[in-house]
């Protein structure tokens, strides 16, 4: 282990000979305790925001938690990410490097759905999985009209109140999109305007294409290799 | 050095957090489920050890899985709590300032009440006195519904009390901020919101604690002053719904 340079200033009084994992940074003037305090505040902040699965902006982290520790931003975020991983099994992922937005994704291997979430959430996730499977099996992109026709077959209608999902159109086009499970983009030069639906970044990270393909294959009683392009994509991703 | 966390611990923690609060037998099933899913050693009687491993890793974050007892049925419940500064503004959710103010005022009403309950009428009357921003009654009704859904309040026949989750999470805050009014149960020594109170000496006890304490006693007497403890026969289910009879039931023989 290499002996690192030690600061003489702040916090040096607490340093003992055993602690040589102290990494000097430009933020040396802050004690590690102060930084760690910010790390735990950030972890809690991210956990709360994650409950609604809304992406978190860097600006909000700065404004609400990091504040005057702006210069130690990357140290704090990295440490928070490490803690989220080690203690909670969650991974902090930057999904938009231009706007600096982050989400937490579940890093644990998928379990049987039983304990994953509350009942209403579970049903919503069921609908989401159906939509994602449909998109994946149709070659990763579908038009809005095709998706709604498909959902119609399942007796899920956009205009009507569904007893579990409420306003289905809102759930699909707003909530799932905001949570980054779905991405909806207008198709240029269409009149009336048409849209294409694709997997969003959270879906790409959290949901295994292999599981999706296996589930579809099971329902249809075929071997997954029957869908050769989906099969190779699923094998390539996970 | 604390034991290492495994994916089973992480999975257990994730579910506990997403539940908000988990009843004891659910937690035991979940313990087994997590250990089996992640193929780690499972022993049915080791839930406490399993949780203390998680807690040793939560401690540096000022968080903890804490066990509490439901004031309604005396069953154990688990919740993940924030130890750093569990004040109302830190409630593990994304409420607006206005909603938090309504919650704080509701909590005042409940804690200052005789019986641990506040009526919806009284709470809704607060809505247009908020400092942050006045709230319409309709809005306030909606917010109350969310507090119930999120398990901060629980509602019985239009009366609201603090949910077990809230009591587990806020116990320290309430005991230090309502020092003169908040009461501790004489049996289990934790905060008592809904309780029966001895008219002679003023000590309070949770209903489930009363039931347990007086079980099989023909003539219940106050554990502190030894006065006769006026209550329904302990263990009779009627008591559960009669929590508002916090004072000794001197007029209980109206039916006889
Ligand atoms: Zn008690
Ligand atoms: Zn007494």
């Amino acid at each position: 282990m290499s002996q690192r340079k030690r600061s003489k200033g702040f916090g040096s009084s607490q340093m003992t000979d055993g602690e040589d994992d102290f990494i000097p940074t430009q933020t040396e003037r802050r004690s590690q305790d102060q930084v760690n305090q910010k790390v735990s505040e950030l972890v809690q902040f991210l956990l709360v925001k994650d409950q609604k699965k809304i992406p978190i902006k860097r600006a909000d982290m700065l404004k609400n938690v990091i504040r005057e520790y702006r210069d130690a931003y990357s140290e704090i975020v990295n440490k928070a990410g490490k803690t989220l991983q080690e203690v909670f099994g969650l991974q902090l992922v930057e999904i938009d490097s231009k706007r600096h937005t982050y989400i937490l994704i579940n890093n644990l291997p998928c379990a049987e759905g039983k304990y994953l979430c509350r009942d209403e959430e579970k049903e919503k996730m069921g609908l989401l999985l159906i939509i994602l499977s449909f998109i994946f099996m149709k070659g990763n992109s579908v038009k809005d009209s095709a998706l709604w026709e498909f959902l119609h077959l399942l007796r899920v209608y956009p205009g009507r109140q569904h007893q579990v999902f409420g306003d289905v159109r809102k759930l699909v086009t707003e909530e799932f999109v905001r949570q980054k499970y779905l991405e909806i983009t207008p198709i240029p030069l269409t009149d009336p305007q048409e849209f294409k639906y694709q997997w969003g970044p959270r879906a790409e990270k959290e949901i295994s294409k292999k599981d999706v393909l296996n589930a579809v294959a099971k329902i249809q009683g075929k071997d997954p290799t029957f869908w050769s392009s989906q099969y190779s994509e699923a094998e390539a991703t996970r | 050095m604390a034991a290492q966390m495994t994916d089973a611990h992480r999975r257990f923690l994730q579910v506990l957090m997403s539940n908000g609060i988990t009843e004891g037998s659910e937690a035991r099933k979940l313990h087994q489920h997590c250990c089996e899913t992640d193929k780690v050693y499972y022993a049915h009687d080791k839930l406490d050890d399993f949780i203390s491993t998680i807690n040793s890793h939560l401690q540096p974050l000022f968080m903890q899985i804490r066990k509490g007892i439901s004031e309604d049925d005396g069953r154990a419940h688990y919740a993940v709590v924030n130890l750093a500064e569990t004040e109302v503004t830190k409630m593990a959710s994304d409420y607006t300032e206005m909603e938090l103010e309504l919650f704080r005022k509701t909590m005042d009403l409940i804690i200052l009440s005789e019986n641990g309950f506040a009526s919806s009428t009284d709470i809704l009357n607060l809505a247009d006195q908020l400092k942050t921003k006045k709230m319409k009654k309709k809005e306030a009704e909606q917010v109350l519904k969310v507090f119930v859904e999120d398990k901060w309040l629980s509602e019985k026949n239009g009366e609201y009390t603090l949910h077990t989750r809230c009591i587990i999470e806020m116990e320290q805050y309430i005991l230090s901020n309502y020092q003169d009014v908040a009461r501790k149960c004489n049996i289990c020594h934790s905060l008592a919101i809904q309780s029966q109170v001895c008219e002679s000496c003023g000590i309070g006890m949770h209903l489930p604690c009363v039931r347990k304490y007086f079980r099989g006693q023909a003539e219940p007497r106050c554990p502190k002053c030894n006065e006769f403890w006026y209550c329904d026969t302990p263990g009779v289910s009627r008591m559960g719904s009669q929590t508002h009879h916090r004072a000794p039931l001197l007029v209980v023989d109206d039916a006889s």
Side-chain angles (χ1 to χ4, degrees):
Chain A
M1 209 176 279
S2 63
Q3 192 65 29
R4 293 194 180 98
K5 194 189 86 185
R6 266 185 207 157
S7 84
K8 281 248 163 135
F10 228 110
S12 59
S13 57
Q14 293 116 279
M15 304 289 292
T16 63
D17 279 331
E19 290 177 87
D20 51 3
D21 52 352
F22 178 67
I23 305 160
T25 61
Q26 73 272 35
T27 63
E28 254 179 299
R29 60 202 173 79
R30 313 210 183 273
S31 77
Q32 281 302 299
D33 279 354
Q34 287 171 307
V35 170
N36 288 339
Q37 171 73 31
K38 286 288 170 191
V39 171
S40 70
E41 280 175 33
L42 183 61
V43 166
Q44 297 202 7
F45 178 77
L46 295 171
L47 288 171
V48 168
K49 294 285 168 191
D50 178 59
Q51 287 178 340
K52 286 180 187 148
K53 294 195 170 163
I54 297 167
I56 306 131
K57 292 197 203 82
R58 181 168 78 178
D60 287 338
M61 295 192 220
L62 285 166
K63 194 176 96 195
N64 295 300
V65 184
I66 297 177
R67 293 190 207 114
E68 72 279 14
Y69 284 65
R70 184 175 274 270
D71 53 337
Y73 172 80
S74 42
E75 185 187 357
I76 293 170
V77 171
N78 289 341
K79 282 192 167 176
K82 203 165 154 244
T83 303
L84 284 164
Q85 180 110 32
E86 285 170 358
V87 182
F88 299 90
L90 298 168
Q91 193 186 345
L92 181 64
V93 180
E94 189 173 25
I95 50 162
D96 185 337
S97 53
K98 271 194 216 113
R99 267 170 265 166
H100 299 293
T101 45
Y102 295 82
I103 57 172
L104 291 181
I105 60 166
N106 192 346
N107 231 4
L108 300 179
C110 275
E112 294 298 312
K114 213 160 126 201
Y115 287 103
L116 282 182
C117 33
R118 285 181 256 181
D119 290 346
E120 188 196 335
E121 286 302 298
K122 216 184 289 171
E123 312 232 19
K124 285 183 182 173
M125 285 297 123
L127 177 67
L128 174 69
L129 276 177
I130 288 170
I131 295 174
L132 291 173
S133 313
F134 180 68
I135 297 173
F136 177 55
M137 299 312 287
K138 290 283 174 193
N140 290 326
S141 174
V142 300
K143 277 194 195 171
D144 50 345
S145 51
L147 178 71
W148 291 110
E149 261 168 49
F150 168 70
L151 292 179
H152 200 95
L153 297 175
L154 305 172
R155 297 167 189 274
V156 175
Y157 311 106
R160 259 183 250 167
Q161 270 312 101
H162 187 279
Q163 53 177 2
V164 180
F165 308 133
D167 186 337
V168 182
R169 183 180 290 283
K170 209 170 161 188
L171 175 65
V172 174
T173 61
E174 292 177 25
E175 195 169 324
F176 289 160
V177 171
R178 197 172 50 231
Q179 296 175 342
K180 301 290 172 191
Y181 280 118
L182 286 181
E183 224 163 62
I184 303 181
T185 30
I187 303 172
L189 306 173
T190 49
D191 186 23
Q193 182 75 68
E194 292 188 286
F195 296 88
K196 65 176 180 196
Y197 284 56
Q198 290 168 302
W199 283 35
R202 185 191 291 275
E204 296 280 358
K205 293 248 162 51
E206 268 184 15
I207 290 158
S208 144
K209 289 185 169 160
K210 201 171 167 179
D211 289 351
V212 168
L213 180 60
N214 287 339
V216 172
K218 205 170 158 193
I219 291 165
Q220 306 220 358
K222 291 185 177 122
D223 195 80
T225 49
F226 177 82
W227 296 272
S228 56
S229 73
Q230 279 83 359
Y231 183 75
S232 49
E233 188 181 341
E235 288 296 305
T237 44
R238 261 210 257 202
Chain B
M1 184 61 210
Q4 247 357 87
M5 272 184 103
T6 65
D7 279 352
H9 295 95
R10 299 182 184 105
R11 193 179 300 279
F12 184 86
L13 178 57
Q14 281 189 5
V15 176
L16 230 55
M17 285 195 302
S18 101
N19 285 352
I21 182 160
T22 306
E23 196 271 316
S25 65
E26 265 312 300
R28 283 190 293 278
K29 271 191 260 167
L30 180 62
H31 174 214
Q32 179 174 11
H33 165 82
C34 292
C35 290
E36 283 170 1
T37 307
D38 295 300
K39 301 184 181 61
V40 305
Y41 169 74
Y42 167 71
H44 69 92
D45 55 346
K46 290 282 187 277
L47 177 59
D48 286 346
D49 293 351
F50 187 79
I51 289 178
S52 66
T53 299
I54 301 175
N55 277 343
S56 68
H57 292 263
L58 287 177
Q59 196 198 358
L61 300 164
F62 311 107
M63 293 171 77
Q64 189 182 59
I65 297 176
R66 194 182 281 169
K67 188 175 174 176
I69 304 295
S70 151
E71 295 194 333
D72 294 317
D73 55 21
R75 288 191 297 179
H77 286 72
Y78 295 88
V80 180
V81 305
N82 174 347
L83 300 172
E85 237 178 289
T86 315
E87 42 173 294
V88 178
T89 46
K90 290 261 177 168
M91 268 173 14
S93 214
D94 247 2
Y95 300 117
T96 63
E97 260 317 303
M98 183 172 66
E99 290 164 347
L100 287 173
E101 196 188 344
L102 184 69
F103 187 84
R104 229 174 282 136
K105 296 216 146 139
T106 304
M107 195 152 104
D108 287 347
L109 277 184
I110 291 171
I111 295 170
L112 299 175
S113 74
E114 277 288 294
N115 54 17
F117 280 89
S119 74
S120 60
T121 330
D122 289 347
I123 300 174
L124 294 178
N125 282 337
L126 297 172
D128 53 11
Q129 301 165 27
L130 297 186
K131 279 191 213 108
T132 334
K133 192 173 155 246
K134 281 183 182 135
M135 210 188 261
K136 291 202 188 80
K137 285 213 165 115
K138 267 256 150 49
E139 273 177 273
E141 250 167 27
Q142 205 48 43
V143 175
L144 281 180
K145 235 176 97 186
V146 173
F147 287 145
V148 172
E149 269 165 30
D150 291 352
K151 300 167 193 159
W152 294 107
L153 296 178
S154 54
E155 190 253 3
K156 279 176 212 150
N157 315 318
E159 304 251 315
Y160 291 83
T161 188
L162 301 184
H163 195 287
T164 310
R165 174 187 189 179
C166 180
I167 296 176
I168 296 179
E169 190 137 333
M170 304 278 201
E171 179 164 0
Q172 291 315 316
Y173 172 83
I174 293 172
L175 288 173
S176 57
N177 283 271
Y178 298 84
Q179 266 174 11
D180 303 330
V181 275
R183 187 176 274 122
K184 274 189 174 182
C185 169
N186 197 258
I187 305 294
C188 68
H189 308 291
S190 46
L191 173 68
I193 299 291
Q194 303 173 51
S195 58
Q196 279 205 333
V197 172
C198 172
E199 191 155 79
S200 339
C201 72
I203 62 150
M205 298 198 273
H206 289 121
L207 290 172
C209 292
V210 167
R211 259 176 249 159
K212 229 191 263 171
Y213 186 75
F214 290 140
R215 187 173 292 152
Q217 288 187 27
E219 207 177 76
R221 289 188 171 274
C222 171
K224 191 173 176 208
C225 69
N226 212 33
E227 269 299 303
F228 187 70
W229 190 280
Y230 298 94
C231 66
D232 287 347
T233 324
V236 170
S237 58
R238 249 185 85 209
M239 266 179 58
S241 55
Q242 293 217 336
T243 48
H244 47 285
H245 288 218
R246 200 186 83 162
L249 307 177
L250 290 170
V251 285
V252 75
D253 47 6
D254 55 345
S256 53

